[in-house]
């Protein structure tokens, strides 16, 4: 399956001036190992893979009290690979198992930058957050990888022509019209079922989109692996329990009337100072995405954040639907009633984060609220999400009258379009992946 991060990997390979080891971060099961292996096989003559979970001898080597040069020489002997050949590449998987090896990336960058190195690992973000050794700041090229966005889902389903058409109609604000609009909405709802986890996407392809044969256990198993991960790289068992409690509270958090994360919904004993490290763990693991509240939409948005008000989305909308226990039929037939709004909003959040946006939303002192604020070349652009074709929004109108942005974006089940009177650009849900900086 085509992954857009492949282009970033090619860019890393081409950069001979700022040659550094590459580190890929991302939530478990989003396809990191697969895409790295494909890249290594396609772009280099030979590649050597080390999985540190399977090579405790290499972890032990890097823990030895010997100099960096000697460690490198011993490593080359142990893996029997000429990693100093510029046509070869070394892939270190599960690198979080060795803090010393992470620290040694600085030495490799400075003294052996002829070596091509890619690193990845489960919970690598958490391991880096809690690193006791010094991190090689400025000596590592870092990339974030996410579950497949809707464009990648379409490409995996052989819809390249549809992707190109959507790009054209997005730019022209031209309605797609029936029956293609309905077909794209159908595919969007199937994506809600699978989310962007490659194994789930491959399964729906294998059953030829016959959702009655879709294997719902795939996402359940991934979710179970997340719960197991919550006991790794933690301070103690008490922190692991806090992480699980926060994660389990998120679906109901998204539906609460205040539209913000509340510790009281985690439990009577949940206070910020007691649960803050658990939240940091979930963010670092890429299991959740933080969306900060901004009271004043000025540039830069990060400078006007209300640190006490924020929301969290799950990293993948398919995982959200799995947690909610919604039936396959109800998802694909759009019969998800109460949770329809939060599922749609989570989907859009996932598409925006894949496109490099940091997530912000706006809330007035009164009751008006806009789902997302985008920092773009056109300035601060408000984005409103609607789960149906009922696109009335008092909050967006309040924002437009108060701040007069160049235009606004409304994402809904309506077709493409632009209203010059309201300055609102209509983007169908299935085209949210086209919203770029």
């Amino acid at each position: 399956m085509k992954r857009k991060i492949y282009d970033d990997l090619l860019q890393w390979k081409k950069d001979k001036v700022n040659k550094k080891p590459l580190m890929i971060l991302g939530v478990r099961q989003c396809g990191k190992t697969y895409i790295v292996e494909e890249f290594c096989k396609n772009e280099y003559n030979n590649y050597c893979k080390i999985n540190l979970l399977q090579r405790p001898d290499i972890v032990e080597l890097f823990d030895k009290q010997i100099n960096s040069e000697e460690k490198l020489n011993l490593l080359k002997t142990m893996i029997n690979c000429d990693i100093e050949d510029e046509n070869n590449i070394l892939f270190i998987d599960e690198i979080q198992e060795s803090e010393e090896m992470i620290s040694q990336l600085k030495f490799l960058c400075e003294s052996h930058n002829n070596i091509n190195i890619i690193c990845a690992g489960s919970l690598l973000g958490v391991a880096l957050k809690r690193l006791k050794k010094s991190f090689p700041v400025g000596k590592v090229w870092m990339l974030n990888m996410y579950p497949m966005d809707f464009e990648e889902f379409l490409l995996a389903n052989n819809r390249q022509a549809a992707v190109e058409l959507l790009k054209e109609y997005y730019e022209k604000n031209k309605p797609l019209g029936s029956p293609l609009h309905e077909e794209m909405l159908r595919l969007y709802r199937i994506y809600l079922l699978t989310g962007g986890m490659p194994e789930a996407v491959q399964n729906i392809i294998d059953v030829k989109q016959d959702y009655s044969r879709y294997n719902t256990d795939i996402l359940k198993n991934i979710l179970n692996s997340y719960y197991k991960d919550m006991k790794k790289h933690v301070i103690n068992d008490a922190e692991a329990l806090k992480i699980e409690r926060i994660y389990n509270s998120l679906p109901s958090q998204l539906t609460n009337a205040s539209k913000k994360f509340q510790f009281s919904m985690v439990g009577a004993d949940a206070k910020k100072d007691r649960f803050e490290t658990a939240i940091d763990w979930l963010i670092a693991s890429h299991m959740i995405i933080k969306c900060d509240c901004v009271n004043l939409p000025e540039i830069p948005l990060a400078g006007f954040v209300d640190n006490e008000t924020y929301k969290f989305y799950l990293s993948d909308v398919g995982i959200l639907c799995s947690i909610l226990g919604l039936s396959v039929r109800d998802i694909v037939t759009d019969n998800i009633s109460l949770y329809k709004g939060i599922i749609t909003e989570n989907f859009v959040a996932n598409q925006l984060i894949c496109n490099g946006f940091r997530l912000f939303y706006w809330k007035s002192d009164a009751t008006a609220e806009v789902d997302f604020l985008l920092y773009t070349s056109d300035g601060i652009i408000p984005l409103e999400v609607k789960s149906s074709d009922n696109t009335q929004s008092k909050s967006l109108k309040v924002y437009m009258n108060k701040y007069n942005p160049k235009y606004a974006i409304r994402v809904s089940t309506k077709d493409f379009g632009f209203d010059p009177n309201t300055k609102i650009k209509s983007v169908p849900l299935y085209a949210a992946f086209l919203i770029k900086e």
Side-chain angles (χ1 to χ4, degrees):
M1 290 185 281
K2 178 178 172 57
R3 301 301 303 270
K4 291 188 283 188
I5 197 174
Y6 199 98
D7 293 335
D8 296 317
L9 297 177
L10 288 174
Q11 188 61 42
W12 168 76
K13 181 186 178 184
K14 291 175 184 175
D15 192 342
K16 304 296 184 182
V17 178
N18 300 306
K19 190 72 175 295
K20 301 174 184 178
L22 174 65
M23 186 174 283
I24 300 180
L25 306 173
V27 70
R28 178 188 284 275
Q29 300 293 324
C30 71
K32 298 185 296 297
T33 298
Y34 168 82
I35 200 64
V36 171
E37 290 187 333
E38 284 295 298
F39 173 74
C40 292
K41 290 174 186 176
N42 294 342
E43 307 300 332
Y44 293 87
N45 292 344
N46 297 292
Y47 94 98
C48 178
K49 178 183 176 182
I50 305 170
N51 185 320
L52 293 188
L53 282 172
Q54 300 167 0
R55 295 298 302 266
D57 55 331
I58 292 177
V59 175
E60 185 180 338
L61 164 65
F62 276 82
D63 284 339
K64 287 184 176 179
Q65 298 301 310
I66 56 178
N67 66 51
S68 299
E69 197 68 48
E70 189 174 353
K71 288 179 181 179
L72 176 60
N73 288 331
L74 288 170
L75 174 67
K76 288 190 288 186
T77 303
M78 291 171 71
I79 64 178
N80 192 27
C81 180
D82 185 8
I83 57 177
E84 301 219 46
D85 184 330
E86 65 176 9
N87 297 308
N88 297 343
I89 189 166
L90 173 63
F91 173 30
I92 308 171
D93 204 5
E94 307 297 354
I95 194 173
Q96 76 282 348
E97 296 302 307
S98 174
E99 289 195 1
E100 186 60 40
M101 183 173 274
I102 293 172
S103 183
Q104 287 293 320
L105 293 175
K106 178 181 179 181
F107 160 74
L108 294 172
C109 176
E110 292 177 341
S111 303
H112 290 272
N113 70 352
N114 58 309
I115 301 177
N116 301 303
I117 305 174
I118 298 183
C119 312
S122 305
L123 299 182
L124 180 52
V126 175
L128 295 181
K129 191 94 173 177
R130 300 186 171 185
L131 206 63
K132 295 184 179 71
K133 298 280 184 178
S134 60
F135 181 77
V137 178
K139 305 300 179 182
V140 177
W141 186 326
M142 303 185 75
L143 279 178
N144 287 318
M145 186 172 181
Y146 304 99
M148 299 170 72
D149 70 2
F150 190 64
E151 179 181 7
E152 291 172 321
F153 175 83
L154 289 176
L155 294 174
N157 281 275
N158 296 315
R159 297 300 183 106
Q160 176 69 44
V163 169
E164 296 306 315
L165 197 66
L166 293 181
K167 290 177 180 178
E168 177 187 345
Y169 280 56
Y170 175 87
E171 293 298 327
K172 295 180 178 178
N173 297 313
K174 180 180 177 182
L176 200 60
S178 300
L180 191 52
H181 176 65
E182 283 73 20
E183 170 64 6
M184 289 295 105
L185 286 174
R186 183 187 72 84
L187 289 169
Y188 155 73
R189 290 179 184 120
I190 290 177
Y191 177 87
L192 295 184
L193 175 65
T194 65
M197 293 303 181
E199 186 181 356
V201 173
Q202 186 60 57
N203 181 249
I204 203 70
I205 293 170
D206 291 342
V207 299
K208 297 178 171 52
Q209 296 177 15
D210 178 359
Y211 60 82
S212 65
R213 296 193 290 144
Y214 171 69
N215 184 2
T216 57
D217 286 339
I218 293 172
L219 291 183
K220 289 177 184 176
N221 291 338
I222 292 175
L223 188 56
N224 285 336
S225 72
Y226 285 1
Y227 285 118
K228 290 178 181 177
D229 282 345
M230 290 174 190
K231 297 176 175 61
K232 297 177 182 178
H233 298 289
V234 292
I235 298 168
N236 50 43
D237 290 342
E239 187 191 29
L241 180 60
K242 291 174 187 176
I243 292 167
E244 187 171 335
R245 286 173 62 187
I246 288 172
Y247 193 72
N248 288 337
S249 80
L250 293 184
S252 57
Q253 295 270 6
L254 288 168
T255 58
N256 74 47
S258 70
K259 291 282 190 174
K260 70 172 186 177
F261 180 83
Q262 293 180 312
F263 285 96
S264 60
M265 296 190 70
V266 179
D269 63 332
K271 305 295 180 185
K272 184 178 180 180
D273 59 344
R274 294 187 64 241
F275 279 73
E276 208 159 23
T277 58
I279 287 176
D280 287 343
W281 190 100
L282 284 166
I283 294 172
S285 72
H286 291 248
M287 289 184 195
I288 66 174
I289 307 162
K290 188 180 184 184
C291 184
D292 288 301
C293 181
V294 172
N295 299 124
L296 183 64
E298 296 285 349
I299 296 172
L301 286 171
F304 297 91
V305 164
D306 175 359
N307 292 317
E308 299 301 315
T309 308
Y310 43 84
K311 297 186 285 190
F312 291 115
Y313 297 102
L314 272 66
S315 60
D316 180 71
V317 71
I319 292 290
L320 173 60
C321 289
S322 183
I323 290 174
L324 291 172
L326 294 166
S327 75
V328 168
R329 178 174 292 277
D330 282 344
I331 294 169
V332 297
T333 59
D334 200 28
N335 184 34
I336 45 182
S337 58
L338 177 64
Y339 288 102
K340 188 174 180 178
I342 67 163
I343 290 171
T344 307
E345 200 173 310
N346 207 118
F347 164 78
V348 174
N350 294 155
Q351 306 307 298
L352 294 175
I353 205 79
C354 286
N355 282 345
F357 285 106
R358 178 178 166 182
L359 300 187
F360 301 94
Y361 73 106
W362 173 79
K363 190 170 185 177
S364 72
D365 294 332
T367 57
E369 181 176 319
V370 173
D371 296 316
F372 299 104
L373 293 183
L374 309 181
Y375 185 6
T376 75
S377 57
D378 290 323
I380 306 298
I381 302 300
L383 187 155
E384 185 78 356
V385 179
K386 294 293 182 182
S387 59
S388 66
D389 58 4
N390 179 9
T391 56
Q392 296 299 314
S393 174
K394 292 180 180 178
S395 292
L396 184 58
K397 187 175 181 180
V398 168
Y399 182 96
M400 298 289 283
N401 290 337
K402 190 170 185 177
Y403 298 110
N404 192 32
K406 189 172 182 179
Y407 61 93
I409 298 173
R410 181 182 285 132
V411 182
S412 71
T413 58
K414 280 192 172 181
D415 210 333
F416 293 106
F418 182 77
D419 185 335
N421 295 317
T422 60
K423 298 193 299 183
I424 295 176
K425 179 181 176 74
S426 176
V427 176
L429 283 161
Y430 54 75
F433 71 87
L434 291 168
I435 302 169
K436 306 282 179 70
E437 293 182 39

